[in-house]
């Protein structure tokens, strides 16, 4: 049985095999957690992202998909980049947010990695309400992790409010 845990903290400091990046489809960096990962991980991550763009991902990474690169200077070994959906009040994009978690877990398993840390994908610049994101993220991971050899999934929530929303959802 995999362990699913919640911590408040900075994902760039996590000593796990994989950290997941809430990237944008360009794969060429952005703000929020993406900016922090590239800043602290150094240029090797962006160099691999550029190679991906020059190859299979010429059109960018689609929402819900996931792809791995090195983690550069970070304590983790790999970064799995995934593109969360932008929140929409008029359209239900929940399956795309669940896909981010399922596909990131699948890529983690394909790497042979045993531990992975997720940020609160889509809850920053992409404005997804945090209570809803917590519900979708936790359900997707609980459903999918058993089909993988992944042993540890850690949600790393940057601020107190996000941590408490995930914590409340995990308890309910
Ligand atoms: P998105 O575009 O998917 O909304 P953001 O990076 O804007 O991505 O935000 C996603 C979440 O990541 C937000 O809850 C934000 O507070 C959080 N975040 C920002 N920096 C970090 C970090 N260093 N570690 C963990 N989470 C972070």
């Amino acid at each position: 049985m995999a362990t699913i845990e919640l911590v408040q903290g900075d994902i760039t400091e996590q000593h796990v095999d994989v950290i997941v990046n809430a990237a944008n489809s360009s794969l060429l960096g952005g703000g929020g957690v993406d900016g922090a990962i590239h800043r602290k991980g150094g240029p090797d991550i962006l160099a691999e992202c550029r190679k991906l763009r020059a190859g299979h991902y010429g059109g960018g990474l689609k929402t819900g998909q996931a792809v791995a690169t090195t983690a550069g200077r970070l304590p983790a070994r790999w970064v799995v980049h995934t593109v969360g959906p932008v929140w929409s009040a008029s359209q239900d994009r929940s399956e795309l947010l669940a896909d981010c978690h399922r596909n990131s877990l699948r890529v983690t398993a394909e790497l042979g990695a045993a531990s992975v840390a997720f940020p609160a994908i889509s809850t920053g610049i992409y404005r997804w309400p945090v209570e809803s994101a917590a519900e979708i993220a936790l359900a997707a991971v609980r459903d999918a992790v058993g089909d993988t050899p992944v042993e540890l999934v850690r949600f790393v929530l940057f601020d107190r409010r996000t941590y408490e929303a995930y914590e409340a959802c995990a308890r309910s």
Side-chain angles (χ1 to χ4, degrees), residues 53-78:
R53 283 302 305 273
H56 188 68
Y57 295 94
L61 185 66
K62 291 203 178 76
T63 305
Q65 292 186 344
V67 66
T69 67
T70 175
R73 295 196 290 257
L74 296 174
R77 197 157 158 206
W78 295 282

Side-chain angles (χ1 to χ4, degrees), residues 33-110:
V33 70
D34 195 9
I37 287 171
H38 282 287
R39 227 170 15 251
K40 291 203 192 168
D44 290 359
I45 303 174
L46 191 57
E48 280 196 25
C49 285
R50 287 191 199 284
K51 279 191 201 149
L52 290 168
R53 283 302 305 273
H56 188 68
Y57 295 94
L61 185 66
K62 291 203 178 76
T63 305
Q65 292 186 344
V67 66
T69 67
T70 175
R73 295 196 290 257
L74 296 174
R77 197 157 158 206
W78 295 282
V79 175
V80 168
H81 307 263
T82 189
V83 182
V86 176
W87 164 255
S88 165
S90 58
Q91 195 185 36
D92 184 3
R93 298 179 178 162
S94 305
E95 279 306 304
L96 288 169
L97 186 54
D99 280 346
C100 288
H101 294 82
R102 292 191 277 254
N103 285 324
S104 297
L105 276 176
R106 178 182 49 75
V107 172
T108 297
E110 285 167 4

Side-chain angles (χ1 to χ4, degrees), residues 146-158:
D147 297 330
T148 74
V150 175
E151 289 164 12
L152 173 69
V153 179
R154 180 182 297 159
F155 285 93
V156 181
L157 297 325
F158 203 45

